[in-house]
Amino acid sequence: MTSQVSSPAEQADGTVVGEQRKPAGRKDVRRLDRVIIRFAGDSGDGMQLTGDRFTSETASFGNDLSTLPNFPAEIRAPAGTLPGVSSFQLHFADHDILTPGDAPNVLVAMNPAALKANIGDMPRGAEIIVNTDEFTKRAMQKVGYDTSPLDDGSLDGFSLHPVPLTTLTVEALKEFALTRKEAERSKNMFALGLLSWMYHRPTEGTEKFLRAKFAKKPDIAAANIAAYRAGWNFGETTEDFAVSYEVAPAATAFPPGVYRNISGNLALSYGLIAASRQADLPLFLGSYPITPASDILHELSKHKNFGVRTFQAEDEIAGIGAALGAAFGGSLAVTTTSGPGVALKSETIGLAVSLELPLLVIDIQRGGPSTGLPTKTEQADLLQAMFGRNGEAPVPVVAPRTPADCFDAALEAARIALTYRTPVFLLSDGYLANGSEPWRVPEPAELPDLRVRFAQGPNHTLDDGTEVFWPYKRDPQTLARPWAIPGTPGLEHRIGGIEKQDGTGNISYDPANHDLMVRTRQAKVDGVDVPDIEVDDPDGARTLVLGWGSTYGPVTAAVRRLRAAGEPIAQAHLRHLNPFPANLGTVLKGYDKVVIPEMNLGQLATLVRAKYLVDAHSYNQVNGMPFKAEQLAAALKEAIDD
């Protein structure tokens, strides 16, 4: 969905306020500045699809938004169990927001497991819509309910809406030639229709989507649309929902332009395509499917018209091996993976360091170690990206900060790889990959020029006057070696992982030469041109919070809350993790306290302490979920007061 909008500041206290009105012939309508909704059910109940459709309509309406999909790793987790609960949280507002929200205002619970798994996150007074048809004795006992929470008073502090979603859906679809089981599958569309009525969401896009999705099964398409409309009509006619809500478009939240809702993995895919076009190089992806990176492979495989070639290899090692071969052949080469795959790719990354060829290694981080938490988020691969290879094998590392920023991070990683002839790590994570937000589609003229010059002929003259090609004769500014396309006459040279002689590229075991090559490769990475880090410090604070990657949203929301409460605090966020910005040391030493929140046990803090001798304080979380703004605000307030 795209929308034309003309510029948001997140409210400090997170409250939902509004005015109430009642047009003639309609129910009361209350205006809100923000809403947080969570859809929850079994992993087979279509909660991700429901949330995605509500998000798309919200984006087309013009609200700012942020999402948090959360689902089990199993393809079909055990039905009706707590580990099998899948949820989708959406935060949308009439102003700038940065996170999916701390606590939902509305929970749609499709069964007892969904209610039990999520009730602890709900604040008192929140609205809870439950599918009463699923609250059978057996289903409740499966998750530890001895009595029905709908009747025992445990939900008295909430605004409870018991709705027989399954029964109503089956009744609405009785004219269709569907089995009861087939009809029940549309209950998520009934719930979507009800929520769309409650929050005045557009409907045309969802109906068009359903017709396209089930184009080969028109009866199923018609049934889903009927269930969707029935949910809308139920909200309009039932007495249980006396109020509907309006959240105005975020008209002043964004600069003028064309916007669309985009996830981090989709933004990364588009960024890679844009980089290949700006470099005038074919794009090659060598990959092996792994959660949560597989969506990039899926997306890029659709774009052969842009010169994209995708190769789904038999394993992680083959994937990166093919990508490195494509780099040798003159392509913009990419390999995508997550933490376990990085471990398998480490030897070939070291080979790319030795060969000094451009290669993008995209790591969509997830919870570890080993297989760990495939569908949960973490930031624990930073030290692996920095040092996870044998020998001295330095590589630049960049990290996007929001889903939309993944587009720009891909362009930046490509710039560094192509300019300096080096593999580059891009560290995204599951939170960014699956989350979404509005993204302004850039104009082509705004994109950087990434074109490169391949070696065309001899570049060195021997003492006897003979002109030859030296594959390791370096650019004096970047220390990059020439990029020679195989088959170019006169540019034949050795390739392989054994140490090369400086200049000639001949195999060398000379100790002095090895020392020179190791130091030169390090100097090349150290010399990568990265912008200075910017500090947001309007009040002359003495405490700085330093973040990287996906902590940007929660950290910024927490900083806004503290400033609104009169607390001075400074903020800075790193995109470039190797090399660090040249002014980082000066910035850090300008503050009495430095706090570094990370979704690991302090990896950036370790690097900062070692390099700058700054007593940086870690604030860490490794529970597979992103930070909450309120949680961070409390931790930062404690640091200020300490």
Side-chain angles (χ1 to χ4, degrees):
M1 290 289 189
T2 59
S3 58
Q4 189 83 20
V5 301
S6 324
S7 183
E10 184 167 30
Q11 301 299 309
D13 57 7
T15 57
V16 179
V17 296
E19 59 180 277
Q20 192 165 314
R21 58 187 175 85
K22 187 174 183 180
R26 292 181 60 188
K27 296 184 179 183
D28 291 340
V29 178
R30 185 173 300 159
R31 287 181 176 171
L32 307 176
D33 67 345
R34 66 168 74 206
V35 174
I36 304 169
I37 297 175
R38 184 181 296 177
F39 299 92
D42 272 334
S43 58
D45 282 340
M47 293 298 94
Q48 303 304 317
L49 174 62
T50 304
D52 182 68
R53 290 314 312 159
F54 196 94
T55 299
S56 294
E57 298 296 2
T58 296
S60 68
F61 188 71
N63 295 120
D64 194 13
L65 62 89
S66 179
T67 68
L68 178 62
N70 186 17
F71 44 87
E74 292 82 5
I75 294 174
R76 185 65 177 93
T81 66
L82 294 175
V85 173
S86 173
S87 68
F88 188 104
Q89 183 164 307
L90 166 67
H91 183 189
F92 62 101
D94 64 2
H95 58 274
D96 179 22
I97 56 174
L98 298 159
T99 75
D102 289 355
N105 308 115
V106 182
L107 171 66
V108 180
M110 304 297 281
N111 60 19
L115 178 64
K116 182 127 187 203
N118 292 281
I119 191 65
D121 294 335
M122 305 301 295
R124 287 314 214 189
E127 295 195 74
I128 300 177
I129 301 171
V130 296
N131 179 14
T132 56
D133 289 326
E134 295 296 323
F135 278 73
T136 64
K137 183 176 181 180
R138 183 173 181 274
M140 290 187 289
Q141 287 177 341
K142 187 182 289 189
V143 296
Y145 280 129
D146 296 325
T147 60
S148 173
L150 309 184
D151 303 321
D152 64 7
S154 61
L155 300 179
D156 286 351
F158 304 97
S159 178
L160 180 65
H161 301 280
V163 180
L165 288 172
T166 306
T167 299
L168 291 171
T169 302
V170 172
E171 178 66 19
L173 302 184
K174 63 182 180 181
E175 64 184 81
F176 295 88
L178 301 175
T179 66
R180 180 178 176 87
K181 186 174 182 180
E182 289 173 331
E184 287 178 0
R185 290 175 182 162
S186 297
K187 63 181 180 291
N188 63 324
M189 288 297 105
F190 189 101
L192 177 60
L194 173 57
L195 268 293
S196 297
W197 170 83
M198 283 182 66
Y199 292 98
H200 297 224
R201 299 296 91 185
T203 61
E204 296 82 3
T206 292
E207 294 192 9
K208 181 179 179 182
F209 167 83
L210 291 170
R211 291 190 185 96
K213 181 176 178 64
F214 298 107
K216 296 181 180 180
K217 298 179 179 180
D219 290 345
I220 300 298
N224 276 281
I225 292 172
Y228 178 62
R229 292 175 176 173
W232 178 285
N233 293 333
F234 177 77
E236 184 69 31
T237 58
T238 183
E239 296 181 1
D240 192 32
F241 293 91
V243 178
S244 64
Y245 304 92
E246 285 184 350
V247 180
T252 61
F254 309 106
V258 176
Y259 285 78
R260 60 157 294 160
N261 183 50
I262 200 165
S263 68
N265 274 350
L266 184 58
L268 250 176
S269 301
Y270 287 175
L272 293 171
I273 296 170
S276 75
R277 294 299 81 209
Q278 293 303 105
D280 196 22
L281 297 174
L283 177 64
F284 181 90
L285 172 65
S287 183
Y288 180 77
I290 184 172
T291 302
S294 299
D295 287 341
I296 302 172
L297 172 62
H298 300 160
E299 182 62 33
L300 289 180
S301 67
K302 304 174 184 177
H303 297 287
K304 296 180 177 64
N305 56 313
F306 287 115
V308 178
R309 294 295 178 266
T310 54
F311 170 54
Q312 180 176 320
E314 67 269 27
D315 56 38
E316 295 280 6
I317 299 172
I320 190 174
L324 185 55
F328 180 58
S331 293
L332 176 59
V334 184
T335 190
T336 52
T337 189
S338 191
V342 174
L344 293 167
K345 296 177 188 291
S346 62
E347 183 178 5
T348 307
I349 298 171
L351 176 59
V353 171
S354 175
L355 297 182
E356 301 189 44
L357 287 171
L359 174 68
L360 302 186
V361 182
I362 296 178
D363 177 6
I364 313 299
Q365 300 166 95
R366 70 191 205 188
S370 188
T371 308
L373 305 173
T375 59
K376 309 303 179 183
T377 196
E378 206 164 271
Q379 288 183 296
D381 294 350
L382 175 56
L383 294 183
Q384 182 182 28
M386 289 284 292
F387 306 118
R389 294 162 295 283
N390 64 295
E392 296 288 345
V395 296
V397 181
V398 301
R401 63 186 189 178
T402 68
D405 188 48
C406 289
F407 178 87
D408 296 316
L411 286 164
E412 175 65 357
R415 176 191 73 84
I416 295 172
L418 295 171
T419 303
Y420 296 90
R421 310 287 197 269
T422 178
V424 176
F425 260 96
L426 189 153
L427 294 181
S428 180
D429 60 40
Y431 172 39
L432 297 184
N434 297 318
S436 63
E437 66 177 353
W439 170 61
R440 188 182 70 84
V441 181
E443 297 294 332
E446 299 172 17
L447 302 178
D449 185 351
L450 301 178
R451 288 174 293 181
V452 298
R453 289 175 57 97
F454 292 112
Q456 299 297 322
N459 61 358
H460 184 75
T461 303
L462 300 176
D463 292 341
D464 63 3
T466 304
E467 292 187 336
V468 296
F469 173 67
W470 275 15
Y472 282 83
K473 185 169 185 175
R474 302 177 183 280
D475 181 295
Q477 298 299 318
T478 65
L479 299 181
R481 78 175 186 90
W483 195 358
I485 301 300
T488 306
L491 302 189
E492 299 85 356
H493 60 281
R494 290 179 176 84
I495 203 77
I498 297 178
E499 184 65 281
K500 306 296 187 295
Q501 184 181 51
D502 183 42
T504 68
N506 296 329
I507 292 174
S508 173
Y509 295 96
D510 178 63
N513 177 78
H514 178 62
D515 184 273
L516 173 65
M517 294 295 276
V518 168
R519 295 180 186 275
T520 301
R521 288 188 288 263
Q522 183 66 58
K524 180 170 67 171
V525 172
D526 291 342
V528 170
D529 181 25
V530 303
D532 284 349
I533 191 169
E534 297 181 358
V535 182
D536 176 17
D537 184 5
D539 303 313
R542 303 314 307 157
T543 299
L544 171 72
V545 53
L546 177 68
W548 72 277
S550 65
T551 61
Y552 174 78
V555 168
T556 305
V559 166
R560 289 179 178 178
R561 293 187 184 205
L562 289 172
R563 289 178 181 170
E567 299 287 349
I569 188 166
Q571 178 186 3
H573 205 79
L574 286 166
R575 162 169 285 176
H576 298 89
L577 296 152
N578 194 34
F580 285 132
N583 68 329
L584 180 58
T586 302
V587 166
L588 294 174
K589 291 175 182 177
Y591 291 88
D592 296 338
K593 299 174 186 174
V594 177
V595 182
I596 304 180
E598 299 181 78
M599 292 187 292
N600 57 49
L601 295 183
Q603 297 188 16
L604 175 61
T606 296
L607 296 174
V608 165
R609 291 185 190 119
K611 186 172 180 65
Y612 300 109
L613 302 181
V614 170
D615 185 20
H617 299 271
S618 287
Y619 183 74
N620 309 116
Q621 173 177 296
V622 282
N623 63 5
M625 298 294 289
F627 284 113
K628 294 182 177 179
E630 181 180 7
Q631 162 196 5
L632 277 178
L636 296 176
K637 176 66 165 63
E638 185 177 339
I640 293 171
D641 295 340
D642 186 9

